[in-house]
Structures are given as structure tokens and as C-alpha cells.
Amino acid sequence: MPELNLTSAPAHLRHGSSIGQPLTRRDGVLKVKGQATYAADNHPPGMLFAVMAVSGIAHGRVTSLDVAAAKRHPGVVDVMTPDHKPQLAIDPEIKTNPFVFRMEVLQSNEVRYANQPIAVVIAETLEAATEGAVLLAPRYEELPALVGVDAGASFVPPVVGVGNPTENHRGDVEAGLASADKQIDAIYETPPQYHNAMEPHAIVAHWDGDGVQIDMPTQGLMLSLARVAELFGIAHDKIHIRSPFLGGGFGSKGLMAGPPVLGLMAAKLVGRPVKLVLRREQMYGPVGHRAPTRQRLRIGADGEGRLTALDHHARTVSSTFDDFYEPAADASHTLYAAPAIRTSHDAVRVNTGTPLFMRAPGEATGSIALESAIDEMAWACGMDPLAFRLKNYAEVEPITGKPFSSKALRACYDQGAARFGWAKRLLQPRQMRDDSGLLVGWGMGTATFPALMFQAQARAVIRRDGAGVMEIGAHDMGQGAWTALAQIAADAVGLDIDRVEFKAGTSDLPDAGIAGGSAHTATAGAAIHSAGAAVIAKLADLATNDERSPLFGAGNAGVIARDGRLIRRDDESRSESYAEILARAGVAEVEARGTGAPNPAAMEEYAMHAHGAVFAEVKVDPELGQIRVTRMVGAFAAGRIVNPHLVKSQLFGGMIWGMSFALHEEAITDRRSGRIMNANLGEYHIPVNADVPPLDVITVEEHDPHVNALGIKGVGEIGITGSAGAVANAVWHATGVRVRRFPIRIEELLTQR
Amino acid sequence: MKQFDYVRPATVAEAIAAAAQPGATYLAAGTNLLDLMKGNISRPDRLVDVTHLDGLDGIETLADGSVRIGALVSNADLAHDAGFAKAYPAVAEALLSGASAQLRNAATVGGNLLQRTRCAYFYDTASRCNKREAGSGCDARDGENRTHAVLGWSENCIATNPSDFCVPLVALDAIVEIEGRNGRREITLDELHRLPGNTPERESALEPGDLIVAVRLPPAARGFAAHARYLKVRERTSYAFAIVSAAAALRIENGKVAEARLALGGVAAKPWRARAAEDVLRGVAPTAGVFQEAAWRALTDAKPSGDNAYKIELARRIVVRALILAAAGTPARIAALPASPFASTSGAIHA
């Protein structure tokens, strides 16, 4: 059994064998039987249905709504409009903190983007509310829409991502480029993309006096609760949010968006519980997306293939009324050891819903451009792409010069390349064919994602019967938190996993922070780990201070918590069960709280990132241009792997998303109207099963004593990075055509025969 | 959604009477219609559900060697009918390349013939569309139109017909049996779909109340079984409409093409029979050179309707490839990835 000796010189140890086990997800049976209750599955008595009417134009204002026609429709109860709505306690335009985004909750007739909510129809049935929304037949005063990355004058935003500097540099990039033997100067474009979680945004809102019960998928229970509290002017303890399961979030359910607030307002307006679920096309507007980018990379290399300079500039867009800037160029900070690096961003404002975090924000968009450009430079230098990357391997973080807390990327390259058979790759493009004459290409990309930590609390209890309880308001978006965090909880209190009641997913539990940034397992796990330590310490105090206990006097020697017993560290023959300790002490239970938080000292000292290497094979029809990925291998080093089974699934998902980025995903925006023309899952292409080849994931062992108490780096987002570039580079290797606009389209490959 | 009457007639005659009323429309599996209704694109007053009518779900071989397919036969049942797939392999391959397994299980033969275009501007009710609302204008013409028509389009409409099934059917001279207010009549499938001209809202030759009851393949259609293929280029391996597709069928005698059939999908408002290209092939040896010439003839009249000039070159290449595949002979089994350029890729699982 691995020893969980993870805090400095603890008096007591905990032994467990749950962490590291490939347990199948504990909520799996509920889900396959349809018994997992998602938000929209809740139907409180008397519930009404609310349907949003959304704007058909992208810019202007609503001049009329036929409210009377909607109200005449049988079953319609009320129509909420800017003129008829409950008042909010604060102006939704006010940003009370950087994690608050402006939203459209009928505060005016202004239209700032297509699919913006302009009214809400509330009815006895979903059908009646839907038809009521149609009958509103809105009229508009339309203004020209700003569309695309060239829509207007660019500006330099104050920050990108979450508080990242807009510009970074180290060394003299211009001098590095001037001294280079080889130069690449290329522009890459990525399209707007939408999260498209399987489960649409939904809320069931049930006011009871001045309190409210909310069923709503959220990646941030307490952030959502705080936003509801300030918008409606009610105390935190009057709000209860349940979010036990999310059908995917990917960043779009992290912060409170307008539509669930409209559901709360509608319920308040009519004095009955209300359900509001977004239609698929309504998710292309008010709930965030990944902004398009146009990225310019200038790279220099010397005669031996060593980078002399790396200049990465990203243009992106934000909305006309709020600020989120895809930090695409920041992807060039960590991977390649250029002596001179500069990253910069600018932006234009367009008529769009405000862009938001979408799975690997910045890293995904930046990675496909950077990995393509690195591939181009390897070819320019006449080098194998892997050899080129190894030649420029960063031993310290290039942009800061800090050492890495751990970095097993070399092992990822080695193991991934060996599994893929990379050594047999021909250097020249368009040289490999299969038996049926299809072009074959092999490409690779390096994956990276920061190892982040947020803030979380947990509460641990040991009960009289010797069983444990672990409480944390954590979020399961499908990634497996119900399982992985329960595994950490079991080891945290020295019990078998089936002896620990794990509670998560509601806002009355301790704050687990946000499930984002690939940091949820690390952050919530650290809180659980520390709560477990605290409760075991309390239990040990009860025993070691009681002369009737076989552990009496072991306070200094310390105990080991294992299988529901405390055992003297220096004499394993002396032990006592949790139940015996509590029974004799005459207490029903002991409880303690713990915290997970970043360690500023470690962050100051070390650069902390997960890494990986992805290898892809594609086949391309030489005449017809259709592309098919036929094989992918990803090797990832992400610190401690809590559950190898779930982690593989996460990495598979990321790799598929990367392939989707390179070949499929694009929100097609009408250049005149600013409307998304493929706002549905039939036409917004993501890979279907038949597109997904055999995937092979290797988790490379990596021990990191610095990132957090458990050594976890997170795997939620890294799979996309590297993968998108690997597929794009494989397409080049297959065809000899370098496509720099993503997704790669058939017509780009028809230029040659 | 809009409230509507739901009628379930007991006989074809009752169905026709019910559907002849203004605002009525037939409902079969609804794989297209229900989406259109939910999206507020179609707002019928009355649905006439024909799925319970007797006698429309059979596949029968007639005395003269033709085959008659009832309008309610599902796409999946037809494609998996061993006798049918052997006699008309390109039709089976086209069916299996369409939609998803779930949709093929539900979708009917008659419904497939009448599915609506996938033009995004037709589906987006905030955009102008002459097909959806006659005379309102066409926002596709100067819009996002890289997948739109290159043949037979007009300034009023550049939409395409999305059917895979119809492409080999039109190549094989399929006949559509229609019951209407004035009794039964037959037209060729080529006559069923209309080009847009000045009236893109009129998509077919059907009159109010007309019910497609069967599709018939004439005796000659069997003669191509040994050399018939469907090829479909799309942007993912399954569950995507064709950018361009082609059905090619050859009757080869003594090393020469006795008769050729060729049709294109995804290029026009109707499945596009390429008769001029067929003429090029008649009586000559099946060589790459003559296939190239046929491809050029097939696309002689093509012109871009927007950002889609590539579709013309792609269509030529698809024609050549489909002819090469057909000349090579119909495979004993339909590939795991039907109609795909990757049909030969090993390890592929069924789409």
C-alpha cells in the first residue's frame, strides 16, 4: 500500500489503496439506467415552462414584440420583457469582480449579438411556451453587424485570459530573427467554436418566500450562488443549488450566464416553479464560446536547428460590451527553448456573445498554431519533427527561466514515439501510401497545460460506527469526480472506499472552488486530503490521551490510519478501531475541516505544467481530398494519476477534441448578419464514432512533490493540445500541402493531384 | 410549437382526401419534417400520418423483372434486403452512406424522396429564403455558400437536394408511383424534383394530396449489378451530407461499355442525371481517359454559385473515381464504410 506521507513530517500517517485504482465510475449504473437526476429532470409541483425568445439580428434594438398574441395562445401564463420583469438588486452591467461577466437579462431593448434573449414566455406546457415565443414576432431597428477578426480597429486589451499580461518577452526577438539561418513567418487562423455540451444549459427555479431552490448544472456552485445572491439581493443561506451531474460543461457552465438568471426571474414573476432549458441553437450566443483567432508566428533557427527566436502574436475578438480575450500566444511560453521569446495579443470588438473559457482556452488555439509552425521549421531545417523538438527541449521554462516542478516530457516523446513507430517516418511529405493508394502522413505535436490550483474546503467526519463521511461541494461534469474524489477521500481517512459516504454536488457543502482549469481533482483533492488529516488527528488525540486505549501515549510516536483502525507507528501490534475509540469516548462522531490552496512559495520557485506528446497518422485520398485519422498515440505526464481508467477517458476525449479542432469544428458565421449558420449538432461537425480511430494513451510516470500535496497535475484539457497540431502536421506530411486555416477543408487539398 | 391536427387515415383514399386540404402535409417517419416543425420552418395545420396504411411496406419483384418498393419501406430494411442489395448494389450503398443507423431505421423510401434541402438559410428563419417564403429573397446567394449548387441553380435559389438514395435511383431510371385526387399516375424520378428557376418554393411535381406509394426500378436496372457504385465525399465519415456524390453504373459487354448510367448528388436542387456523359461512354472501352472525358461532359454546364468553384473540380474527380470503381466491379460485400473513399481502410468499423 502506498504511503500517503505528503505533508511535512506529520505526526500521523494514513495508508490507503484507493488512489491509483482503475475503478469504474461509481455513478455509471445510475447513468445507464437513467436514474441520474440532471437539472432538467426535476419537476416540482406546479412547475411552468419558460422558453426564451432570442434575437434574429446581431446589432440594433427590439422595437416591438407582439406580447398580446403570445398571451392569447392557450397555455401561456405570462411574457417577461424589459417592460415586465422583476427588478434585480444590482445592475447586471456592473462587474463586481473579474469573474463576473455582463449578461442579457432583459435590462433593455438593445441587441448586442444574434441569439441574445429578448423575452421569455412562460406557459403551462413546453409546447405552448415555444409557440408563444414564435408569436412574439419581434421587429427590430437593425444596425450593421461587426463580424470577424477584421471587423474594426484593433486594440491591445489590458489582460488576456484570466489576468495574464497581454505581452511577454524575454531576450531580443528581432536580433534572434535577424541572426537566424532559417526563418518561418506564417499566419494561422482558427474559427469560432462552441462548447456544445450534450446537456444544454438548464434551470429549475423554485422560490419559497425569500429563499430559492435551484437545480442547475454548474461548474462553480459557490460562484453561482454568490452571483444569484447579489443579483437578487438575498443572503447566501437562502439559496440552495443542486448540481449533482453535468452533461458536460467545458467552461461554459463555470460562471452564471444570463439564461439561468432569466429562469430565476421568470419563477419570481409568476410565483411558481419554472423550468427553462436552452434549445441547442440558443447555446450559440449567451453562454460563451471560443473566439476566433488569427495568429502570426515568426520563428528563427540557426544552422544546427536551434531556435534563435520565437515571436507569437494573436489577434482575437471580444464582444462589444465585455472583455474576454483568448490567450492564444501564451502557448509559446513553456515548450521550446528559444533564447528570445515574445508573445503579444490584440483584439477587435464584434457583435457576439462574450467569448469565454472553452476547454484549454488559449492553449488549444495557440497549440495548433505553434505546433504547426514548429513543424514547418523542422522541415525548413531538414530535420525530423521529433528530433527538432528534442533539440530545442526546454530544461527550464523559457519565458521565466524557472525550473520545472517536474517534467517527464522526454519520456513522453520516447514512449509515444516507440509505441507509434515514429522512427520509420520518411522525412519528405507525400511519400507514404497504403496498399490502396491513399496518402499516408505522420505528424506529431507537443502537449502542455499548466498545473493549476484554486481554493477549496472539505469537511471530514468519522462516525461512531467507524465509517467516514467526506463532504465537498465538488462538481462531476462527466469526468468522474464522484469516483476519483471518493478515492482520495477513502485514503484521506484510512478507510475502504465503500466505508466512506462521499457527498458532493450541492451548494450547502463546503466550497470546492470551480471545476475548471484542469484543477478540480488537485484542488478538491487537496482539501479532502487535508480534511482527512485533520479528522484523523482528532481521532488520534482521543485515543492517545486515553489511558484505556492501547494507543495511550502514542501522541509523539504517531499513528497510522489504515482500514478503519489507528495503529502505533512504532509498534503495529497495538491498534484500535475507529468505532472502539469513539464508543469509549462517548462521542457520536468527530469532524474536521481542511483546505486546498495553491502554495505561493512553490509557485514562485517552480514552473508547473503537465506535458505530453501526441503522434497521429492520417490518410488522405490523393484526388478527392477527404481526410481520415487512422491512428493516434498520446503519451502524457501529469503527475499522480488518481484513477487510470478515468484519466484515460479524459485524455481520449481531449485527443478526439484535438482531432475535431484540426478537421471538423467551426461555427460558420454569416459575414453580413453575424448569425451562426450551423447552430445545431447536425451541421456543427464534431467527430462521430466512425471518425475516431484506435486511440492509444500512455500515462508516463511522474512524481511531483511541489504542485500540491497529492502531486496531481490534472488531465482535463491537456489532451486537446498537441493533438490538434499532430493531426494538422500529419495532413501536411501526407499531402505536402500546408493548410494554415482550421479546420482543414477538402478544397484546400484539391490543389494538387 | 404551433398546434396542428393529427389525422391517421385508414386508406390511401382517405389519406389523399385529408392531405389535399390547404396546410396539410404527410407525415411518415418525420426524420426531416419534425425537425422543420420544431425549428418553425414548416408550420403545417394538419399532419396526415401515413405510417399505418396497409400495403406500402413491401419489396416485390414483378413479373417483368422490375422491383417495386413500397413508400413505407425503411431505408435500413431496403438496404439490408439481400436480394435488393445484390441486384441494385449502388442503391444499397447510397442508402447505407446516408444519415445514421438510427435515422435509417426510421426513415422511409417515400420520405427520402421528399426530404428538404439542407441549405442553412432555409433552416434559419431569421434569414431570407425564397424556398421557405416565396419572393423574400435568397441570403445564401451572397452568404456562406461553399456547399451550394453548381448546376441548375438560379439567382433565386442555390440550394441542393441532399438525398443519397435518389442519386443511384435517378441513374437507374426509377419510376415514382403516385396516388392523387385523380387516381394513380407515374412519373420518372428525374421528373419529380424541379429546378428552382423563378419558383424555388415549388420543389416537386406533386400536387396537393399526391401521395408517393411506391418507387419502381425498371427491368433494365438489373443489368448494371456487376458494375455499380456510389461514392460520397463528405466532411466526416458518417452523419454528414455529401459535398458531392456520384452514382456510376456500367453494363460491360466484351470489354466495352454497352450502357452507362451516371448521376451526381449534392450539386443541384435535384439528383443530377448526367446523360451527356453517359453518351461519351457508350460503346467504348472503359479507360481512365474516357472517364475523364465523361467527367468533363458531366460538368460542362457547371458554374459556381458562390465560394464553391472547387465543387466543380471535385465533382469531376468523383465522377472519374466512381467510374473506375464501377468498372472494377461491384464488391461482393458492401464495405464497412459505404460509399466512402476510405472504404478500403482496414480496421474500419461500420458507420
Side-chain angles (χ1 to χ4, degrees):
Chain A
M1 285 187 280
E3 189 175 274
L4 282 175
N5 181 6
L6 297 164
T7 42
S8 54
H12 309 302
L13 302 181
R14 289 157 291 154
H15 286 180
S17 55
S18 284
I19 293 177
Q21 295 299 316
L23 301 187
T24 189
R25 63 184 67 229
R26 306 179 92 208
D27 48 337
V29 171
L30 275 184
K31 285 182 174 170
V32 297
K33 290 171 85 173
Q35 292 168 344
T37 307
Y38 289 79
D41 294 331
N42 291 285
H43 295 92
M47 188 186 81
L48 297 173
F49 294 83
V51 167
M52 300 190 314
V54 299
S55 169
I57 64 166
H59 188 200
R61 74 188 179 88
V62 178
T63 54
S64 82
L65 291 167
D66 195 346
V67 172
K71 280 192 162 175
R72 274 197 304 273
H73 188 72
V76 170
V77 172
D78 208 344
V79 178
M80 194 164 72
T81 67
D83 299 329
H84 177 58
K85 65 176 194 297
Q87 288 307 307
L88 294 172
I90 63 160
D91 181 349
E93 298 290 328
I94 294 170
K95 283 173 85 84
T96 49
N97 71 66
F99 275 105
V100 164
F101 284 84
R102 297 197 172 99
M103 56 175 67
E104 296 70 33
V105 287
L106 307 177
Q107 64 265 40
S108 78
N109 293 320
E110 184 193 356
V111 173
R112 341 200 244 203
Y113 58 88
N115 289 337
Q116 175 190 316
I118 55 173
V120 176
V121 179
I122 307 144
E124 298 285 348
T125 65
L126 176 61
E127 290 79 3
T130 304
E131 180 63 11
V134 171
L135 294 172
L136 288 173
R139 291 171 179 275
Y140 306 96
E141 181 182 306
E142 191 170 0
L143 295 168
L146 301 167
V147 183
V149 296
D150 296 314
S154 69
F155 61 96
V156 176
V159 295
V160 295
V162 185
N164 304 5
T166 305
E167 299 191 14
N168 277 278
H169 70 274
R170 186 179 177 88
D172 187 338
V173 163
E174 295 305 331
L177 288 170
S179 71
D181 288 304
K182 305 281 185 196
Q183 283 197 27
I184 295 292
D185 185 347
I187 290 171
Y188 304 88
E189 292 183 284
T190 67
Q193 301 174 344
Y194 283 75
H195 304 76
N196 270 313
M198 185 88 83
E199 176 202 28
H201 292 65
I203 186 167
V204 176
H206 186 182
W207 290 91
D208 183 9
D210 59 348
V212 65
Q213 166 75 44
I214 300 171
D215 291 294
M216 172 181 76
T218 172
Q219 297 172 245
L221 279 163
M222 294 311 289
L223 282 171
S224 295
L225 185 143
R227 187 72 168 130
V228 171
E230 70 178 15
L231 283 169
F232 290 90
I234 52 178
H236 284 208
D237 63 4
K238 294 287 188 185
I239 304 164
H240 186 231
I241 307 177
R242 297 188 294 193
S243 180
F245 305 106
L246 287 82
F250 315 121
S252 74
K253 293 172 183 163
L255 305 171
M256 201 76 185
V261 175
L262 289 171
L264 284 158
M265 290 166 64
K268 206 170 173 82
L269 182 71
V270 297
R272 285 168 67 178
V274 161
K275 170 152 77 173
L276 187 152
V277 182
L278 267 61
R279 295 167 62 98
R280 178 61 58 182
E281 68 270 21
Q282 294 176 341
M283 294 170 69
Y284 290 71
V287 293
H289 66 287
R290 195 196 300 280
T293 71
R294 180 187 292 149
Q295 302 175 55
R296 181 179 182 195
L297 275 113
R298 295 193 301 154
I299 306 181
D302 68 16
E304 289 168 359
R306 276 191 205 86
L307 292 173
T308 59
L310 171 53
D311 186 22
H312 191 162
H313 176 76
R315 157 78 57 89
T316 188
V317 306
S318 191
S319 66
T320 53
F321 55 91
D322 211 343
D323 301 281
F324 181 84
Y325 302 94
E326 178 85 3
D330 290 359
S332 286
H333 288 167
T334 58
L335 278 181
Y336 300 109
I341 295 179
R342 179 169 61 204
T343 62
S344 57
H345 299 82
D346 68 3
V348 300
R349 294 200 182 275
V350 302
N351 287 111
T352 177
T354 305
L356 199 61
F357 321 97
M358 178 165 152
R359 217 165 174 207
E363 289 85 4
T365 39
S367 171
I368 194 169
L370 173 64
E371 293 303 315
S372 294
I374 289 289
D375 209 65
E376 294 201 44
M377 183 53 101
W379 170 242
C381 293
M383 290 176 70
D384 172 81
L386 176 54
F388 184 78
R389 284 170 172 83
L390 286 167
K391 186 108 184 176
N392 291 287
Y393 193 87
E395 302 293 351
V396 295
E397 187 180 45
I399 195 73
T400 61
K402 288 182 191 177
F404 291 100
S405 60
S406 63
K407 181 179 177 181
L409 176 57
R410 222 181 276 281
C412 295
Y413 284 141
D414 289 349
Q415 293 180 35
R419 182 76 60 88
F420 187 84
W422 182 260
K424 293 187 193 136
R425 181 181 184 273
L426 302 178
L427 190 61
Q428 300 260 343
R430 214 177 170 94
Q431 296 299 304
M432 292 161 61
R433 298 230 181 194
D434 74 0
D435 294 345
S436 52
L438 295 168
L439 297 167
V440 177
W442 289 1
M444 68 165 297
T446 310
T448 185
F449 196 84
L452 304 174
M453 281 285 285
F454 302 131
Q455 303 265 353
Q457 279 88 45
R459 176 175 176 267
V461 177
I462 303 292
R463 293 197 314 237
R464 182 76 164 261
D465 63 359
V469 181
M470 187 66 73
E471 296 180 341
I472 183 162
H475 314 86
D476 196 323
M477 310 172 285
Q479 86 278 35
W482 279 115
T483 309
L485 295 180
Q487 289 176 261
I488 296 171
D491 288 2
V493 293
L495 284 166
D496 183 88
I497 193 167
D498 293 325
R499 293 280 286 158
V500 181
E501 185 186 350
F502 179 69
K503 295 184 182 174
T506 57
S507 64
D508 53 342
L509 299 172
D511 181 6
I514 192 165
S518 297
H520 198 42
T521 308
T523 306
I528 290 166
H529 177 71
S530 112
V535 82
I536 290 298
K538 280 192 178 176
L539 191 66
D541 280 352
L542 282 181
T544 58
N545 292 329
D546 186 338
E547 58 190 18
R548 293 166 295 175
S549 168
L551 298 172
F552 178 64
N556 288 335
V559 298
I560 298 166
R562 183 168 75 208
D563 291 338
R565 299 184 75 80
L566 296 185
I567 304 156
R568 257 190 94 111
R569 284 175 73 168
D570 55 357
D571 179 1
E572 295 216 4
S573 70
R574 294 168 69 180
S575 71
E576 192 169 32
S577 75
Y578 300 174
E580 288 166 334
I581 296 166
L582 290 171
R584 195 181 47 248
V587 295
E589 61 180 40
V590 285
E591 65 109 25
R593 287 171 184 266
T595 299
N599 176 349
M603 287 169 65
E604 187 58 38
E605 194 167 347
Y606 297 105
M608 300 175 177
H609 303 277
H611 290 93
V614 182
F615 300 84
E617 176 184 271
V618 304
K619 294 189 177 179
V620 181
D621 188 293
E623 285 94 29
L624 307 182
Q626 195 170 324
I627 306 164
R628 183 171 166 80
V629 179
T630 46
R631 208 154 60 87
M632 284 178 90
V633 174
F636 298 92
R640 180 186 296 266
I641 301 301
V642 174
N643 182 320
H645 191 56
L646 296 171
V647 161
K648 264 192 185 178
S649 292
Q650 284 278 79
L651 293 169
F652 285 155
M655 288 165 70
I656 294 165
W657 203 311
M659 168 185 154
S660 184
F661 197 123
L663 301 182
H664 298 295
E665 272 188 74
E666 174 174 21
I668 297 165
T669 313
D670 185 280
R671 64 198 86 162
R672 304 154 301 176
S673 70
R675 292 184 58 74
I676 309 296
M677 299 311 299
N678 59 341
N680 62 75
L681 287 179
E683 313 291 337
Y684 181 98
H685 284 181
I686 58 170
V688 296
N689 282 332
D691 291 303
V692 180
L695 300 173
D696 200 347
V697 159
I698 302 166
T699 48
V700 171
E701 192 162 324
E702 188 177 66
H703 174 67
D704 193 316
H706 306 296
V707 281
N708 50 58
L710 292 161
I712 296 167
K713 286 184 173 176
V715 294
E717 291 158 278
I718 188 172
I720 305 175
T721 70
S723 300
V727 171
N729 292 337
V731 170
W732 170 79
H733 189 240
T735 62
V737 180
R738 177 63 68 177
V739 180
R740 301 188 183 91
R741 183 209 168 282
F742 302 106
I744 297 172
R745 291 168 162 179
I746 284 168
E747 56 261 44
E748 322 250 22
L749 304 180
L750 295 179
T751 52
Q752 283 194 2
R753 303 199 68 133
Chain B
M1 59 207 286
K2 180 187 169 187
Q3 297 202 355
F4 54 87
D5 291 332
Y6 173 81
V7 183
R8 187 188 284 182
T11 65
V12 168
E14 282 181 31
I16 292 164
Q21 306 300 316
T25 192
Y26 285 117
L27 171 71
T31 56
N32 191 189
L33 178 62
L34 296 189
D35 279 351
L36 291 165
M37 290 170 68
K38 289 178 189 172
N40 206 35
I41 298 130
S42 293
R43 290 176 63 80
D45 297 314
R46 169 188 279 189
L47 290 189
V48 181
D49 183 349
V50 295
T51 55
H52 295 81
L53 295 178
D54 286 333
L56 301 183
D57 60 352
I59 305 166
E60 48 183 329
T61 305
L62 306 181
D64 65 353
S66 54
V67 67
R68 184 172 184 277
I69 310 153
L72 292 178
V73 173
S74 79
N75 289 5
D77 283 348
L78 184 59
H80 292 300
D81 183 284
F84 181 84
K86 194 166 170 56
Y88 314 101
V91 181
E93 190 167 22
L95 282 167
L96 292 175
S97 74
S100 65
Q102 294 89 337
L103 287 167
R104 293 193 294 269
N105 284 339
T108 64
V109 161
N112 192 310
L113 264 52
L114 294 179
Q115 66 182 298
R116 312 294 295 277
T117 181
R118 292 286 160 172
C119 173
Y121 295 89
F122 173 69
Y123 282 77
D124 182 35
T125 55
S127 296
R128 297 179 305 157
C129 173
N130 287 322
K131 193 182 271 298
R132 179 166 27 80
E133 191 181 339
S136 63
C138 172
D139 275 340
R141 185 69 182 90
D142 295 313
E144 308 305 316
N145 50 22
R146 61 179 278 275
T147 62
H148 283 71
V150 292
L151 283 163
W153 54 272
S154 74
E155 289 298 326
N156 297 304
C157 183
I158 61 171
T160 61
N161 182 302
S163 174
D164 292 303
F165 181 46
C166 288
V167 181
L169 283 185
V170 82
L172 295 175
D173 284 337
I175 293 153
V176 182
E177 298 182 10
I178 300 161
E179 291 273 2
R181 284 172 294 181
N182 301 317
R184 177 169 296 231
R185 70 184 199 278
E186 295 181 358
I187 59 173
T188 65
L189 179 61
D190 204 17
E191 295 167 312
L192 178 68
H193 301 100
R194 295 165 51 105
L195 290 175
N198 293 323
T199 53
E201 73 281 6
R202 290 203 57 199
E203 296 176 346
S204 79
L206 298 183
E207 299 295 330
D210 277 356
L211 178 67
I212 294 175
V213 293
V215 174
R216 218 169 61 234
L217 284 166
R222 280 179 189 273
F224 299 93
H227 295 278
R229 293 302 298 272
Y230 183 66
L231 180 66
K232 175 180 180 183
V233 167
R234 55 199 130 168
E235 295 185 312
R236 62 183 169 191
T237 306
S238 179
Y239 194 48
F241 293 97
I243 300 286
V244 181
S245 68
L250 302 172
R251 191 156 56 76
I252 297 178
E253 288 173 1
N254 303 320
K256 291 197 172 164
V257 177
E259 191 177 3
R261 300 290 178 85
L262 182 69
L264 290 158
V267 293
K270 60 187 293 182
W272 191 265
R273 179 80 179 264
R275 287 197 170 81
E278 293 172 3
D279 294 342
V280 170
L281 296 166
R282 188 175 302 114
V284 300
T287 63
V290 75
F291 293 162
Q292 290 279 1
E293 192 188 334
W296 278 93
R297 289 292 290 276
L299 277 303
T300 302
D301 297 332
K303 60 179 196 291
S305 60
D307 297 330
N308 57 359
Y310 76 97
K311 283 184 69 165
I312 299 169
E313 173 61 14
L314 179 61
R316 287 191 192 108
R317 296 185 189 187
I318 288 173
V319 166
V320 171
R321 178 71 63 81
L323 287 166
I324 289 171
L325 290 170
T330 305
R333 289 191 57 187
I334 294 179
L337 301 175
S340 167
F342 298 100
S344 62
T345 301
S346 63
I349 50 171
H350 205 294

